[in-house]
Amino acid sequence: MTQQTSFFSALRRWLPLALIVTGAVAGFVLFRDRLTFDTLAQNREALLAFAAAHPVATPALFMASYLLIVAFSLPGATWATLTGGFLFGLFPGVFYNVTGATLGALALFLAVRRGFGRGLRARIDASDGRVRRLSDGIRANEVPMLMSMRLIPVVPFFVANLIPALLDVPARRFGWTTFVGILPGALVYTWIGAGLGAVFERGERPDLSVIFEPYVLGPILGLAALSLLPVLINRKRRP
């Protein structure tokens, strides 16, 4: 392999990840103070007017924007979810929210895996000890582990995108478990967003702490525990 061929091969490998990192830094600098509740409150009339005038383009633009927010790990994903509920209602707002978030997560996942995920996976497979055992344990229970990472709120969304990429989880499996796993939490925040009209009229801010109320958090944690049930069963069956 010539040096030129090697260079272009490395460029194709690292370019997606480099674009993600560059976009993340630029987006954080440019938009960290703009993706907020105050921005939504100040532009709500313009957003509603645009959505009414462009009923087909608005969902597409919204999901593309959500994709970029997640792919570049920009602050403001929560307010994007609320905006989806505000503009489109609970349904189809939750579908647009979950689709945009899943596509963004998948973009980041593929960029990381293409950059160094598979190489790291090969090194892990060639190693021994605790890291190898942990990797094998996760790989043997991929679906339950992926689902629990999405359902348990304490796992950062960004981290839940990186770990599967580093372990070379199949992209299709990563995609559908992300979509299903984030759906319960997205339903809650989209529901809050759907009620923002009344919140704006009262001059208040939405109460996002509702996600930690027992009647909301309890079922989500229950689903997370249920998703891990196959892991416990597999352990019981081991000799």
Side-chain angles (χ1 to χ4, degrees):
M1 181 181 293
T2 66
Q3 289 185 348
Q4 185 177 8
T5 303
S6 178
F7 170 77
F8 283 111
S9 177
L11 182 63
R12 287 194 300 269
R13 179 183 176 189
W14 289 99
L15 183 59
L17 187 58
L19 291 175
I20 290 290
V21 173
T22 302
V25 174
F28 181 80
V29 173
L30 296 174
F31 299 111
R32 60 178 176 177
D33 296 327
R34 298 184 181 182
L35 299 175
T36 64
F37 173 77
D38 292 332
T39 300
L40 175 58
Q42 293 166 7
N43 296 278
R44 63 185 185 277
E45 298 296 340
L47 289 172
L48 289 173
F50 184 88
H54 305 88
V56 176
T58 302
L61 289 172
F62 173 79
M63 286 187 286
S65 299
Y66 208 137
L67 184 158
L68 294 175
I69 290 173
V70 173
F72 294 135
S73 301
L74 301 178
T78 298
W79 300 115
T81 307
L82 295 176
T83 302
F86 174 66
L87 291 178
F88 310 111
L90 183 57
F91 297 102
V94 68
F95 173 78
Y96 297 151
N97 281 330
V98 174
T99 299
T102 300
L103 292 176
L106 190 58
L108 179 58
F109 167 87
L110 292 174
V112 172
R113 190 175 74 173
R114 185 177 180 86
F116 52 82
R118 285 179 175 168
L120 179 61
R121 177 64 193 175
R123 288 193 290 271
I124 291 175
D125 288 339
S127 67
D128 54 12
R130 183 178 302 176
V131 174
R132 172 66 181 274
R133 290 195 299 271
L134 176 62
S135 173
D136 290 345
I138 294 176
R139 196 166 181 81
N141 301 280
E142 278 186 352
V143 171
M145 295 301 294
L146 291 173
M147 290 291 292
S148 64
M149 282 195 299
R150 296 303 187 185
L151 287 166
I152 299 175
V154 296
V155 178
F157 197 75
F158 177 77
V159 174
N161 294 334
L162 290 183
I163 292 176
L166 297 177
L167 295 179
D168 201 23
V169 169
R172 181 177 299 180
R173 185 172 299 166
F174 173 83
W176 77 257
T177 54
T178 297
F179 188 96
V180 175
I182 67 176
L183 187 57
L187 274 169
V188 176
Y189 282 113
T190 307
W191 167 61
I192 296 174
L196 280 181
V199 174
F200 289 140
E201 291 179 1
R202 295 194 300 267
E204 300 175 351
R205 300 179 71 89
D207 181 13
L208 302 184
S209 64
V210 68
I211 190 71
F212 298 107
E213 292 293 334
Y215 64 89
V216 175
L217 186 59
I220 294 177
L221 292 178
L223 288 172
L226 187 62
S227 71
L228 289 173
L229 186 59
V231 179
L232 300 177
I233 294 175
N234 287 337
R235 286 185 176 180
K236 289 290 186 180
R237 290 177 176 175
R238 290 176 186 173

